[in-house]
Amino acid sequence: LPLDKEIPTYVLERRGAISFGLPTSPKAKKNPYGGPRLSRRGGVSVDSEDVEAKYLRLLGDNVPAARKNSTITQFTVKTSLKDLRRMQSTDNDMVDPGVSAYAGRFKRKMSAPTVTRHRLCNDGLVEWSQLNRIGCWDFDTLSIARITKGRCLFYIGFQLLIKHDLFEEFSLDVMSVLKFLNLLEQHYEPENPFHNATHAADVAQALHCLLSNLRSIDSFQPKELLASILAALAHDVNHPGVNQNFLIKTASHLMKINGNTSLLEQHHSKVAKSLIKESGIISHLSLNDQDEILRLVENLIMATDMAQHQKYVNNMKALMVSGYDPENTEHRRIVLRLAMKCSDLCNTARPWSTCVQWGKLVLEEFWRQGDEEKKMMFDVTNMFDRDQCVPSKALTGFIDYIAEPLFTLWADFCDTSFTRDICRLVDNNRSHWEEVITLPV
């Protein structure tokens, strides 16, 4: 389609046409059908038989009409029709913020979103300011998941890449990022009560908070920050909803492929690296940079193995004794691994109203595994037996032996009011769990 021509009417009328738009000025005339009047910024047309997007044209933000022709970007997106439909907004009058807010800056400098409101589902509005609170520890990922109908990983992941200026740093292709986030969501099991895309988004947001509050965050290389976000988002991808012991007892194919050491983490790592490659999110980087990022993604995902928990804790303690040097690559990696571990357990350190919801979800997943073990006539430990488990004992025990010492270690390393507040939240949640006899509805 020539750049100086309007998108023909017959194109936009084709089956599957998508039109992108942005709200106009608040003073502009309102849309007679409700909501702000939209200024069309571009369009995509796909037919039922198309396998690639056709006629995709994006216009720059806030460009005077007289100059629009000089700022048009045109390209063909080689992605499946299924992916395009997943990228489409759930409402006809609003579009995905990942496209609408950034389309005009494609392959150019990325900055804060210009969209102030976005319709995420048919029955409600979410203020963009909710995602702007992504650096707050009391950020409620479960609430975002409800509003977005389970798509919080998509929105949170996109926002985190912007917060760390990674679009600009690596000239990330917007459509490759969207494809990666969509693929990642598709490979998380939505039926898992706990190990699902919402948990992954929660971990990524927690990692953002922990790293952002480090005085030495500027010492981390952009490649380390990119790998950390990708690893957090993908650290439990394709989780089967059962633990390693269950997979070993049932002679799962994952055990045959990965052995019986860190077999789940090995699986998550392999799937994560496969999706990174398939999406092409870093394919434009040098081979050396790609290899370094993929190795670090694997390294950080492997650090979430609870069976290896003490090893990573001891490494951090040894580092604190010898002295942390932010210029030392291995020192930075040790810190990133501990930050990933803390983030993976962030649900124990959230405000109580959020912590209790996550506690219910993790126990429900354990109990479902226990139900299956009973059917197979396996021995079932008390924590996995919904008839025998005492939530207060199970969760306070986990806090005492794992969570509290871990967050205390992080606070010793990064002694700030923020980290001390997190430790107080862990102690407060422990007190609350002690009083729980039955889980609240």
Side-chain angles (χ1 to χ4, degrees):
L1 191 66
L3 292 180
D4 59 344
K5 296 291 184 66
E6 293 295 322
I7 297 178
T9 302
Y10 77 89
V11 172
L12 291 177
E13 288 177 349
R14 290 179 68 192
R15 179 178 178 182
I18 305 168
S19 186
F20 301 120
L22 282 175
T24 55
S25 167
K27 298 180 180 179
K29 185 178 179 181
K30 293 294 183 180
N31 188 327
Y33 300 102
R37 181 175 291 278
L38 300 181
S39 173
R40 191 171 69 79
R41 316 302 284 177
V44 181
S45 174
V46 291
D47 196 63
S48 58
E49 297 178 357
D50 289 339
V51 293
E52 294 184 354
K54 309 291 185 183
Y55 314 114
L56 175 55
R57 188 169 62 178
L58 305 176
L59 284 67
D61 290 332
N62 304 318
V63 179
R67 297 181 55 199
K68 280 184 178 178
N69 287 341
S70 65
T71 58
I72 294 174
T73 302
Q74 180 185 10
F75 53 95
T76 298
V77 181
K78 294 183 178 180
T79 187
S80 68
L81 180 60
K82 179 180 179 182
D83 287 341
L84 279 170
R85 284 174 174 165
R86 283 179 61 82
M87 292 175 193
Q88 189 177 4
S89 172
T90 55
D91 260 338
N92 293 328
D93 62 344
M94 288 287 184
V95 298
D96 196 294
V99 175
S100 66
Y102 309 103
R105 301 181 182 128
F106 184 74
K107 291 187 177 178
R108 291 190 285 123
K109 183 176 180 179
M110 310 301 287
S111 59
T114 58
V115 175
T116 56
R117 294 174 73 89
H118 174 65
R119 186 177 291 278
L120 296 174
C121 58
N122 290 327
D123 56 358
L125 286 169
V126 58
E127 295 287 344
W128 189 255
S129 60
Q130 287 185 261
L131 285 178
N132 282 338
R133 295 190 68 257
I134 203 165
C136 302
W137 189 254
D138 62 353
F139 183 86
D140 189 355
T141 309
L142 290 169
S143 176
I144 299 294
R146 287 189 290 271
I147 294 171
T148 60
K149 299 188 183 299
R151 300 217 59 201
C152 61
L153 184 149
F154 179 92
Y155 294 100
I156 289 174
F158 200 94
Q159 184 77 341
L160 290 177
L161 293 172
I162 293 166
K163 284 288 186 182
H164 291 277
D165 298 321
L166 296 173
F167 276 96
E168 178 182 0
E169 179 68 37
F170 293 101
S171 298
L172 295 180
D173 179 283
V174 174
M175 298 306 286
S176 294
V177 172
L178 297 179
K179 184 174 183 180
F180 170 71
L181 294 172
N182 276 303
L183 285 170
L184 199 56
E185 282 189 332
Q186 292 171 23
H187 284 77
Y188 272 98
E189 177 51 64
E191 297 302 316
N192 290 346
F194 184 80
H195 288 106
N196 51 37
T198 303
H199 165 66
D202 196 49
V203 169
Q205 187 273 337
L207 184 68
H208 166 65
C209 290
L210 294 178
L211 294 182
S212 297
N213 280 276
L214 271 178
R215 295 190 183 96
S216 58
I217 185 172
D218 291 339
S219 66
F220 290 108
Q221 297 179 357
K223 284 181 288 188
E224 293 171 329
L225 294 175
L226 176 60
S228 297
I229 292 173
L230 296 181
L233 291 169
H235 79 282
D236 274 330
V237 64
N238 207 223
H239 196 291
V242 293
N243 66 12
Q244 176 170 291
N245 289 336
F246 183 90
L247 296 174
I248 293 174
K249 286 191 291 187
T250 56
S252 166
H253 70 284
L254 292 179
M255 185 194 71
K256 298 173 183 176
I257 296 172
N258 300 317
N260 57 7
T261 302
S262 303
L263 72 100
L264 275 174
E265 289 70 29
Q266 289 188 62
H267 177 61
H268 302 323
S269 173
K270 290 175 181 177
V271 176
K273 292 190 292 184
S274 175
L275 297 181
I276 290 171
K277 293 176 181 178
E278 182 179 349
S279 68
I281 187 173
I282 60 172
S283 61
H284 61 292
L285 304 180
S286 70
L287 291 178
N288 286 339
D289 285 348
Q290 290 183 52
D291 288 343
E292 183 178 349
I293 290 170
L294 290 172
R295 282 197 303 271
L296 185 52
V297 167
E298 177 180 1
N299 193 262
L300 293 175
I301 291 177
M302 295 301 292
T304 63
D305 181 9
M306 290 306 300
Q308 305 295 320
H309 174 79
Q310 200 58 46
K311 178 182 80 172
Y312 295 108
V313 168
N314 290 340
N315 288 344
M316 187 65 186
K317 289 179 177 178
L319 174 63
M320 292 170 63
V321 170
S322 63
Y324 173 62
D325 177 8
E327 299 300 319
N328 186 302
T329 299
E330 182 54 30
H331 286 192
R332 295 196 307 272
R333 302 295 166 84
I334 291 173
V335 171
L336 287 175
R337 286 192 287 266
L338 194 78
M340 177 69 79
K341 291 190 66 62
C342 290
S343 302
D344 196 23
L345 306 183
C346 67
N347 58 86
T348 63
R350 299 293 194 182
W352 172 246
S353 59
T354 304
C355 173
V356 68
Q357 295 180 65
W358 284 113
K360 289 162 58 178
L361 293 171
V362 72
L363 287 177
E364 176 58 30
E365 186 165 300
F366 288 170
W367 294 342
R368 289 186 186 184
Q369 175 180 321
D371 295 341
E372 291 300 312
E373 289 174 328
K374 289 178 182 179
K375 293 177 184 177
M376 298 177 180
M377 306 298 290
F378 292 155
D379 292 334
V380 182
T381 59
N382 283 345
M383 184 180 289
F384 289 77
D385 189 332
R386 66 174 71 244
D387 299 319
Q388 301 294 325
C389 179
V390 180
S392 60
K393 183 179 296 186
L395 295 173
T396 56
F398 184 81
I399 289 175
D400 287 342
Y401 293 103
I402 303 295
E404 192 275 334
L406 183 64
F407 283 105
T408 298
L409 179 62
W410 182 261
D412 289 341
F413 171 71
C414 178
D415 186 15
T416 65
S417 60
F418 170 73
T419 56
R420 290 191 292 272
D421 286 343
I422 291 178
C423 290
R424 279 192 288 270
L425 281 169
V426 174
D427 291 339
N428 181 63
N429 290 337
R430 188 200 184 285
S431 299
H432 278 297
W433 279 121
E434 274 190 321
E435 300 170 1
V436 171
I437 299 175
T438 58
L439 289 177
V441 178

